[in-house]
Amino acid sequence: MFRLDGKTALVTGAGRGIGLGIARALGHQGAQLVINDLFEDRAEAARDELAGEGVAAIAAPFDVTDGDAVRRAIEALGAVDILVNNAGIPGREGMELKAFVDMSPDEWRPQVDVNLYGVLNTTHAVLPGMRERGSGRIIMVSSDAGRVGTQAGVTIYGSCKAAAVQLVRNLSQEVAPLGITVNAIALGLMNNLPEEYSDHLVRGIPLGRLGTPEDAAAAVVYLASAESSWVTGQLLPVNGGNVPA
Ligand SMILES: NC(=O)c1ccc[n+]([C@@H]2O[C@H](COP(=O)([O-])OP(=O)(O)OC[C@H]3O[C@@H](n4cnc5c(N)ncnc54)[C@H](O)[C@@H]3O)[C@@H](O)[C@H]2O)c1
């Protein structure tokens, strides 16, 4: 079950972290991988790391916020059967939690650009090919911050993540007749967070630990596979057991 042989999977922001874990798992299930990242060296290092595990991948560095670059890159790739919209900030580098009232509109923009426009750009670019082939899988990597209130300082981030989930729900209705499914996972606190954030927060996780890239990847593999063909428009929380109030 869950084999992906013959499928091409593009994972954005896969140069490290959760995206790399997702790419690794898709590759081990037989998918041909396309590793996207903003940073060329990161994408190439990830490709080389996976090659060392016997997983074939190509590196495709581009900025998901640049609509023209996204279109050009995806045209050059040919068929993309599986798109995983993983690129997102804040990640480990941009993990500055700042109250909305203290942010300027200039500080909102990068968040909206990556977390929302990035998703729109890549999704829009892969859809024509998927429609032509009559099949496709689109998976968003969202966050509990886009599902429930989690903490102060993630207002813009969480709003963008929630918008992407609502995109999933509505787009799924449009493209279901075309054989394309669109789903999202909402990740909770992951083990690549800086310790100052995670130490006290882990106590609130019912299953008692932070999430791993492998936890995220297992859910994505399912949603990418033929076995999930009757599942679309859904948000799957992968978060150690935090349920909505
Ligand atoms: N880490 C967590 O606790 C956590 C929790 C919930 C959701 N998430 C989500 O999981 C996803 C991955 O997070 P992570 O912790 O692995 O982050 P990370 O920062 O470790 O990795 C993200 C990667 O995306 C790349 N990237 C950033 N902007 C890009 C752009 N414009 N174009 C292409 N690539 C770009 C970065 O270079 C980086 O390699 C994100 O969408 C994040 O919002 C993370």
Side-chain angles (χ1 to χ4, degrees):
M1 288 180 97
F2 311 126
R3 291 298 304 173
L4 300 171
D5 307 277
K7 302 290 183 192
T8 296
L10 165 62
V11 185
T12 66
R16 71 175 190 190
I18 294 162
L20 176 54
I22 289 171
R24 171 177 282 117
L26 294 172
H28 281 289
Q29 290 307 111
Q32 288 287 322
L33 285 178
V34 183
I35 308 279
N36 159 260
D37 205 277
L38 179 60
F39 300 109
E40 187 171 7
D41 56 345
R42 226 175 248 183
E44 290 177 352
R47 174 201 61 197
D48 295 346
E49 191 178 321
L50 294 180
E53 300 171 20
V55 172
I58 62 167
F62 58 84
D63 181 348
V64 296
T65 71
D66 179 343
D68 289 337
V70 169
R71 264 190 301 282
R72 277 197 304 275
I74 287 176
E75 269 170 33
L77 287 172
V80 174
D81 304 296
I82 300 161
L83 167 66
V84 184
N85 282 311
N86 166 80
I89 53 173
R92 282 176 297 187
E93 271 161 11
M95 199 61 208
E96 190 199 354
L97 303 181
K98 197 165 179 185
F100 178 62
V101 68
D102 295 326
M103 290 177 86
S104 71
D106 283 348
E107 289 174 293
W108 309 343
R109 195 163 297 282
Q111 289 280 335
V112 179
D113 279 349
V114 180
N115 297 319
L116 186 52
Y117 271 95
V119 169
L120 293 171
N121 286 334
T122 52
T123 302
H124 194 250
V126 298
L127 276 173
M130 289 182 174
R131 175 169 60 186
E132 217 172 283
R133 290 186 298 281
S135 68
R137 293 279 186 274
I138 299 173
I139 300 148
M140 310 284 174
V141 178
S142 187
S143 165
D144 264 1
R147 190 180 68 90
V148 293
T150 50
Q151 60 187 319
V154 294
T155 296
I156 299 292
Y157 170 74
S159 301
C160 296
K161 289 292 190 184
V165 170
Q166 203 53 31
L167 167 80
V168 162
R169 295 188 176 117
N170 286 304
L171 180 63
S172 70
Q173 306 302 292
E174 285 181 28
V175 300
L178 308 175
I180 302 166
T181 69
V182 194
N183 291 287
I185 62 171
L187 298 177
L189 291 166
M190 306 301 284
N191 66 358
N192 62 352
L193 286 172
E195 273 181 24
E196 62 267 30
Y197 294 112
S198 54
D199 262 3
H200 67 289
L201 294 169
V202 74
R203 288 193 284 274
I205 301 175
L207 285 170
R209 65 169 176 84
L210 296 166
T212 64
E214 292 73 27
D215 292 320
V220 171
V221 165
Y222 168 65
L223 293 171
S225 70
E227 284 77 5
S228 68
S229 64
W230 210 46
V231 177
T232 196
Q234 303 302 316
L235 173 64
L236 173 61
V238 178
N239 64 12
N242 285 317
V243 295

